Amino acid sequence: MASITPPNRLDERLYRTVFDHSLDGVMITVPDGRILAANPAACTILGASEADICKQGRQGFSDEADPRWQSALEERRRGGQAQAVLPMIRRDGTPFFAEVSSSMFAAENGEERSCVIFRDVTERVQLEQQLCATNETTQLLLAGASTERVLTAIALSARKLADASEAGVVTVGDEQGSVVVAAGDGSRLPRLVGRWCPPGTLLAGVMASRRSLVVHDRTAAATEEDGRDLAVGPAMIVPIVGGGTAFGNLLVGSERGHPAYGRADLAVIELLAQSDGVALTLGQARAKAERTTLLEEQSRIAADLRDSVLQQLFVVGPGLQAVSSMAPVLVTDRIRDSVQRLDDVIAEIRRTIFGLHGPELGRDLAKAIHAIIDEYAEHLGFSPTVRTVGALDRCDRTTRQHLVSVVREALSNVLRHHATVVEVTARVSTDEIVLTVVDDGLGPPQGGPRGSGLKNMARRATALGGHFELTPVSPQGTRFEWRVPVRSGSDVGGGSLAPGPGGRPPRLGQAIRNCHMRRDDSPRARHRWPA
């Protein structure tokens, strides 16, 4: 039987073979930071020769002031060994994350030595960070956080992932092909929030192409509208797309002099943008489902109030009127007061029903527009972009009803244009409300509006003292603009669901008198009223 050589008597060449052929970086070091030897894998990972690594020492490839390094070194000092994921620096200055394990041992002369084994785990760390960032975005969307907060969180995650100095999110602007800086994180980019970039600018071009762009000096490539005063060097601009919808661009930039971003850096931000696009799509679907559920519940409550509560109140009125004819004068006055109060209660219930009775009648105009957009999305095959700006509920009932009808008619025309992109914007300023619908379809008909829908839109605008314009857009498409003055006013007053003579709703007192004038005074007849 062949004898087995004890481990302590193994040939030194075998140790050297393991050292040279390990896939992990291996270094023999001194606790004070000196490096005595580095294997070929360590040289490959750090991008330096063994002589250079030994000359530079630990401080040449790490930031010992980093709290993570201080914690790991302290743990090794106390327990003789340590394991941690730590930031390191290659010879060319490129940062990366390494999984490091180190243990202390005594050399033959009794001096302390340490064996350091490390491997590049940058991709794993970045994936974990991406998952955390996406999870944070999803949680914010599920919690109903504001759009500004969600987009700012996305910008912050992108800046951390790329180890950049600036990051921001750019969204679709009012004009077709334009963009707006919606959120920013860093020392400079937040100053550009709200900046509008017209078609042809760097940021708008990426949005239009839906293709990522890497630039070595963003400030030099940018136009004045993009923000040339930002003074950012290398940058990445990546589209955020989910479910076929372009939500915006993700902009990441670093200080001038920072190493240019490579394919690996771009892949990280693209993956984050894709994940955020999915999260935003799911958030959009959830908001749509919530709106649908809310509208269904509002319609149910409105129907219950109309079909049950109001009808019962109408039955009580004739009964009180019948009793009043047999009661003393003092009691009759009390009954009349009660009838008047019932009249007021019914008016209040009618106002409540008006606010609940579906998106087209409710006071929430933004909700009504979103509901129509969702309805037409099924026919268009995609979801149009919709944006509401200002206090839409300042408009009176008549204006809101006209506006809702115009949105429907505009989308009906878009459907016939075979468009693939539609942008709907409703903006209320101090004195006017402007509805714009822009598509990339076949364009307006030659010779001006011919269809009844377009004529109706113009007629509605004229009736409200405004105007309607239909113009082509370049290179292809149509722009509807419907502009009318803002007319503030009360919504309902004492309106009824059953109009009386002349189209005006009857008051309860008048209704009771009308009921007494009928020959059929049976309970069944009273329950039938109003028709």
Side-chain angles (χ1 to χ4, degrees), residues 335-353:
I335 291 176
R336 288 176 179 172
D337 289 341
S338 297
V339 169
Q340 181 61 44
R341 290 182 182 180
L342 279 175
D343 208 6
D344 294 338
V345 170
I346 288 177
E348 184 62 33
I349 292 176
R350 286 169 177 159
R351 280 191 287 268
T352 302
I353 292 175

Side-chain angles (χ1 to χ4, degrees), residues 190-271:
R191 298 200 309 262
L192 298 185
V193 171
R195 175 170 290 189
W196 179 75
C197 303
T201 54
L202 182 68
L203 295 176
V206 173
M207 177 74 80
S209 68
R210 295 193 180 186
R211 294 182 179 179
S212 301
L213 178 66
V214 178
V215 294
H216 295 295
D217 190 333
R218 180 195 170 276
T219 304
T223 64
E224 293 297 336
E225 292 91 344
D226 281 313
R228 185 168 286 170
D229 56 334
L230 185 58
V232 170
M236 297 177 284
I237 308 173
V238 177
I240 304 175
V241 180
T245 300
F247 293 98
N249 292 339
L250 192 53
L251 167 65
V252 177
S254 293
E255 301 286 348
R256 287 181 168 178
H258 187 281
Y261 291 113
R263 289 186 177 181
D265 302 306
L266 181 62
V268 170
I269 300 303
E270 285 182 331
L271 184 56

Side-chain angles (χ1 to χ4, degrees), residues 152-172:
T152 301
I154 291 175
L156 173 61
S157 299
R159 186 180 64 79
K160 289 182 176 179
L161 274 175
D163 192 25
S165 59
E166 307 289 336
V169 177
V170 179
T171 58
V172 179

Side-chain angles (χ1 to χ4, degrees), residues 70-82 104 112:
Q70 292 179 349
S71 176
L73 292 173
E74 178 61 23
E75 180 183 348
R76 190 183 68 176
R77 186 189 65 79
R78 292 197 312 266
Q81 58 185 13
M104 305 284 293
E112 283 189 329

Side-chain angles (χ1 to χ4, degrees), residues 302-324:
D304 288 346
L305 288 173
R306 181 185 63 246
D307 299 337
S308 178
V309 178
L310 274 182
Q311 294 301 327
Q312 293 182 45
L313 289 175
F314 279 125
V315 171
V316 172
L320 288 174
Q321 188 72 18
V323 172
S324 68

